[in-house]
Amino acid sequence: MTRVQQIGVVIGLAIVALLTILRAGDPGIFKLIRGVTFDEYQRLVPRTFEPMPVRVIDIDEASLREFGQWPWPRDRLALLVDRLSEMGAAAIAFDVLFSEPDRLSPRNIVREVIGIDPSIAEKLPDNDEIFARSIAEKPVVLGFGLSNEGSYRPPVKAGFAFTGESPVSAPPHLGASTPLRPHLETNAAGLGHISLNPGNPSPVVRAVPLFLTDGEQLYPNLAVEALRVAQGASTYVLSGAPDHAGIMTSAKIGDFVVPLTAAGELWLYVTPDRAERYISVRQVLAPGGVSTETAAAINGSILFVGTSAAGLQDIRVTALGENVPGVSLHAQAAEQILSGQFLSRPDWADGLEILVIAVLGCLLVVVTTFVSPAVALVCGLLITAMALVASWLSFLYAGLLFDPLAPIVSGSITHFAATSFKILVIDRERREVRRAFGHYLSPSLLHRIEHNRDALRLGGDDRELTVMFVDVRNFTEMSERLAPTDVVAFLNTLLDALSRHVVANEGTLDKFIGDSIMAFWNAPVDVADHETKAVRTALAMRETLAELNAGDAFGFGPDQEVGIGIGIHTGLACVGNMGAKTRFNYSAVGDAVNVAARIESSCKEVGFDILISDSTARSVQGMALIEAGALPLKGKSNRTQILAVVGDERVAASPEFAALEVVHRQLMQALQSHSRNSRKLIGTAKVRAVQVIGGLAEFYQRISGRADHFREVPEGIENSAAD
């Protein structure tokens, strides 16, 4: 194992340890993702709706239109209880709070009327008393809510028996509850809390606490209390962990055993909301009596009285994403218990998921470190697939809830971190190699070699290139005065400063030939507008050299400035790897290369530092160019038209250059026509040139000695320049 691999393993294992600790802490985001995952399982396979002796007696919109707005007078609720009891209801559970006196009671209304003898009010009926008499000796369960004020706790109508250690401290805590009217509380057969998800900020109701605790006493919820009353049972039998207090595993309610979470919650396994579950109060209280079908549905059923009216704001969200009345969830909990279809998350599920994260994380670290990224990726995908399949099959066939996402997310983070480390190491090594070869090859060539497996072969391709040659003026004389080490230092300083502009403008540095630079554009990759980029490079070199001379970067003193000549030509050349099979260079050869070299040599004769051929100039738009004549180049049968590069677009737009252009055109005409006025125009051009760029003075100084370059331009000149 290499040192890098050792570091990778240590970092990977540290990440696995952190993720394992994080999962053991089970932060809120993990709980949220886990809940959403289980919701998706239910949406794929919801609980099948089966007719059960459970119904919702619905205070719906039709009932409100029939009997008026809520709350109704409780004598009407007494009538409802009597009707339901007469039809054989097994239990009647109210998902309604009766904590305040009935304001619509005749006795209470008269008491509020000023001037009426209070004794008259006592003779009037009281709706609360009527309701209390109605529920007496009937299987009625009243609901109570949780309160943040006071210390009231309702009486418990059933006993509790325990197996194992005491689970009394397991359920959510009940600090206080809303008080019920005393005579209602006394006459009710059962009391149950109506809170569906106390203390849970999620709007989705996934699990319902079947019991609450104040630390000493347990309090059942509405659904299980209705189920107990319907069976005539008097005691809940709760199972705790055999060796640990404060854990609840199951509850026996009459003949039904319900698996619970450690906190005494029932995981709701819901069905899509169905109309068959609801019976409107309007139907029950119809003056002509109920239909035979409705009476049959009520007979022997557990009935939950609640509201689906939107204005009463008792709407909840199920795991299926449906907005349903809260009372229907109490009914679904009772249905689920009667059907025996349960979801269960074993108390050892958290431990198993934590262990899976640790083991699979360590496996991924080892695989990612010692095998190829492709194999590691395949292993990661297999682990992901296995986790999803195992979790899904457990839900589908056993109703067990195991979280697949925590191991998957943790494994993905581990794999990403280990792979990233490996890639960073490889990239660092690649950068080292690239840095080493970058001294010899241009970045574009390195890119070509890295991405083209055929790049390292002998041979070339014909391409249109823009070729540049740069040469130091009077280098021979300079080198005679300097020691060899000083010559090397001078060249390194100059060539390094100039060659950077080639790379910056997407050019390829071909070679350094003594005091010269050869570069080209449009190979090995296509470069858009390569002619202009080559000219911009030359202008940047001119500016850089001026800065070096001004700062005496070469140590020659202010009186000895270094000069360069630059020649640029665009034409067809063969570019590729050239040399022997064991050692070769990426270079360009051809007539275009020769023409560029000859143009650079002509800079001395012309007396200007940047010259380009007309084939290059045709593609360079907006820059300050002036004609420099048609020069006879060595090895060429025809003369080549060249232009001097005065400056960029800013210079071209200046009034000084515009004035110079006018004089220069007049001078060209005078030279072509052998006009005696040419000498005077040269003097004027010199004056104008100084206002644009200093180097042009020598250009015009020498122009009279090369008058032939501007006369009788032979046919085929432009063609020869493009060859």
Side-chain angles (χ1 to χ4, degrees):
M1 184 187 301
T2 66
R3 178 173 177 78
V4 171
Q5 289 175 327
Q6 291 175 347
I7 295 174
V9 170
V10 170
I11 293 175
L13 293 179
I15 292 173
V16 171
L18 288 175
L19 292 172
T20 303
I21 294 171
L22 182 64
R23 174 60 187 84
D26 203 21
I29 185 64
F30 277 50
K31 295 177 181 177
L32 175 62
I33 294 174
R34 187 162 58 241
V36 171
T37 302
F38 297 154
D39 291 348
E40 290 300 323
Y41 285 177
Q42 289 203 50
R43 292 178 185 183
L44 291 173
V45 184
R47 180 169 63 87
T48 303
F49 178 80
E50 299 176 5
M52 290 285 171
V54 177
R55 292 291 186 275
V56 173
I57 304 303
D58 190 10
I59 304 170
D60 55 6
E61 300 288 354
S63 300
L64 294 179
R65 287 193 298 269
E66 179 74 19
F67 301 110
Q69 67 181 18
W70 185 263
W72 291 339
R74 288 176 188 162
D75 60 344
R76 183 173 295 133
L77 297 181
L79 176 61
L80 177 64
V81 169
D82 292 340
R83 289 278 183 93
L84 295 175
S85 180
E86 290 169 1
M87 286 184 278
I92 305 168
F94 280 88
D95 184 24
V96 178
L97 294 178
F98 299 106
S99 56
E100 303 291 338
D102 184 1
R103 294 185 295 106
L104 302 177
S105 176
R107 183 180 299 176
N108 293 334
I109 292 174
V110 170
R111 282 175 179 169
E112 294 178 0
V113 178
I114 299 175
I116 294 181
D117 187 352
S119 62
I120 297 176
E122 297 301 325
K123 299 177 182 178
L124 296 175
D126 181 79
N127 288 348
D128 284 325
E129 292 179 358
I130 295 172
F131 187 40
R133 287 195 298 271
S134 174
I135 67 174
E137 306 300 327
K138 292 186 178 70
V140 174
V141 178
L142 299 183
F144 64 88
L146 306 187
S147 175
N148 295 323
E149 299 179 357
S151 59
Y152 172 80
R153 297 181 182 88
V156 178
K157 300 282 184 171
F160 288 88
F162 306 127
T163 62
E165 295 293 326
S166 173
V168 171
S169 62
H173 184 72
L174 171 66
S177 66
T178 54
L180 296 173
R181 302 301 296 160
H183 38 302
L184 297 179
E185 180 181 85
T186 301
N187 289 355
L191 299 173
H193 74 83
I194 62 175
S195 300
L196 291 170
N197 52 349
N200 191 336
S202 173
V204 180
V205 181
R206 299 185 176 98
V208 176
L210 297 191
F211 301 94
L212 299 177
T213 182
D214 61 5
E216 297 179 359
Q217 177 64 54
L218 294 174
Y219 300 86
N221 89 330
L222 191 68
V224 295
E225 186 73 341
L227 186 61
R228 178 191 69 80
V229 169
Q231 297 178 90
S234 60
T235 303
Y236 294 101
V237 180
L238 304 180
S239 298
D243 54 359
H244 198 288
I247 294 177
M248 196 174 292
T249 60
S250 66
K252 187 172 185 296
I253 308 160
D255 296 331
F256 300 94
V257 177
V258 184
L260 303 175
T261 68
E265 296 174 317
L266 169 69
W267 279 95
L268 284 179
Y269 191 10
V270 296
T271 73
D273 208 23
R274 298 287 292 266
E276 297 94 314
R277 187 176 284 129
Y278 299 87
I279 298 174
S280 174
V281 171
R282 181 172 175 270
Q283 294 176 260
V284 178
L285 297 181
V290 300
S291 65
T292 304
E293 182 180 352
T294 300
I298 292 174
N299 184 30
S301 293
I302 300 173
L303 308 177
F304 291 89
V305 181
T307 179
S308 66
L312 299 184
Q313 299 180 342
D314 186 25
I315 303 299
R316 304 302 180 96
V317 182
T318 71
L320 303 183
E322 295 182 324
N323 294 318
V324 301
V327 65
S328 73
L329 294 181
H330 292 294
Q332 290 228 39
E335 287 177 4
Q336 188 176 339
I337 294 172
L338 293 177
S339 69
Q341 297 185 56
F342 298 108
L343 298 179
S344 175
R345 181 165 168 80
D347 54 4
W348 44 267
D350 284 326
L352 175 63
E353 291 164 6
I354 294 170
L355 179 63
V356 168
I357 290 174
V359 173
L360 293 185
C362 293
L363 177 62
L364 279 175
V365 168
V366 173
V367 171
T368 306
T369 303
F370 293 100
V371 301
S372 69
V375 175
L377 178 61
V378 170
C379 291
L381 292 176
L382 286 176
I383 290 173
T384 298
M386 290 171 58
L388 285 172
V389 170
S391 174
W392 171 249
L393 293 179
S394 297
F395 169 82
L396 189 61
Y397 293 106
L400 297 177
L401 299 174
F402 294 111
D403 180 16
L405 290 188
I408 289 173
V409 171
S410 300
S412 299
I413 293 174
T414 302
H415 179 265
F416 174 79
T419 303
S420 298
F421 175 79
K422 191 171 184 177
I423 290 174
L424 287 174
V425 170
I426 294 173
D427 187 61
R428 186 189 66 180
E429 295 173 350
R430 179 180 294 175
R431 288 198 306 271
E432 292 293 334
V433 174
R434 189 183 182 93
R435 188 179 298 113
F437 278 89
H439 296 297
Y440 308 100
L441 304 175
S442 68
S444 58
L445 179 56
L446 280 176
H447 183 274
R448 182 172 183 265
I449 292 172
E450 289 173 348
H451 295 84
N452 185 359
R453 62 180 63 186
D454 295 327
L456 293 176
R457 64 175 177 82
L458 291 177
D461 300 311
D462 290 337
R463 295 176 68 98
E464 182 184 67
L465 301 182
T466 297
V467 185
M468 169 191 284
F469 276 88
V470 184
D471 186 63
V472 180
R473 292 289 167 259
N474 302 319
F475 177 71
T476 302
E477 297 176 9
M478 193 181 304
S479 60
E480 289 176 353
R481 300 194 308 267
L482 300 174
T485 54
D486 293 335
V487 173
V488 172
F490 160 69
L491 288 177
N492 287 343
T493 301
L494 178 63
L495 299 181
D496 176 67
L498 299 183
S499 62
R500 290 180 181 178
H501 296 297
V502 175
V503 176
N505 285 281
E506 301 181 57
T508 298
L509 279 169
D510 185 304
K511 59 176 72 71
F512 296 103
I513 312 169
D515 62 324
S516 301
I517 300 173
M518 176 184 170
F520 52 81
W521 278 257
N522 207 38
V525 293
D526 293 334
V527 177
D529 202 15
H530 52 88
E531 300 91 345
T532 301
K533 289 177 180 176
V535 174
R536 291 194 189 283
T537 300
L539 291 172
M541 288 180 173
R542 172 193 285 168
E543 185 177 346
T544 296
L545 181 61
E547 293 173 355
L548 293 174
N549 283 325
D552 194 20
F554 310 115
F556 296 160
D559 298 331
Q560 297 186 31
E561 292 189 350
V562 175
I564 59 173
I566 302 174
I568 300 173
H569 175 62
T570 300
L572 196 63
C574 182
V575 61
N577 295 320
M578 302 175 191
K581 290 184 178 180
T582 56
R583 185 176 181 85
F584 50 80
N585 293 321
Y586 186 79
S587 185
V589 296
D591 186 62
V593 178
N594 298 332
V595 171
R598 300 292 185 265
I599 293 175
E600 181 275 317
S601 299
S602 300
C603 289
K604 299 176 184 178
E605 181 181 1
V606 173
F608 198 65
D609 60 344
I610 304 176
L611 299 178
I612 64 175
S613 68
D614 65 330
S615 63
T616 301
R618 283 194 293 267
S619 299
V620 177
Q621 301 297 323
M623 290 197 178
L625 307 177
I626 60 174
E627 294 182 44
L631 275 64
L633 301 181
K634 184 178 179 181
K636 300 294 291 182
S637 58
N638 294 320
R639 288 192 288 172
T640 303
Q641 185 73 41
I642 61 173
L643 295 93
V645 181
V646 179
D648 58 13
E649 294 88 346
R650 180 182 57 81
V651 175
S654 66
E656 293 81 5
F657 181 73
L660 175 63
E661 272 193 308
V662 173
V663 176
H664 188 81
R665 283 195 295 269
Q666 294 173 353
L667 176 59
M668 294 298 101
Q669 294 173 359
L671 290 173
Q672 291 176 4
S673 61
H674 300 270
S675 173
R676 294 179 180 181
N677 195 36
S678 60
R679 188 175 298 276
K680 180 181 178 181
L681 289 171
I682 289 174
T684 304
K686 285 182 181 179
V687 175
R688 298 284 173 84
V690 171
Q691 298 173 357
V692 179
I693 181 173
L696 275 175
E698 185 178 354
F699 171 81
Y700 285 109
Q701 179 67 35
R702 297 190 181 189
I703 211 169
S704 60
R706 359 184 249 109
D708 290 343
H709 294 169
F710 301 93
R711 298 171 183 164
E712 298 179 2
V713 179
E715 294 183 3
I717 285 179
E718 293 189 1
N719 292 333
S720 68
D723 289 340

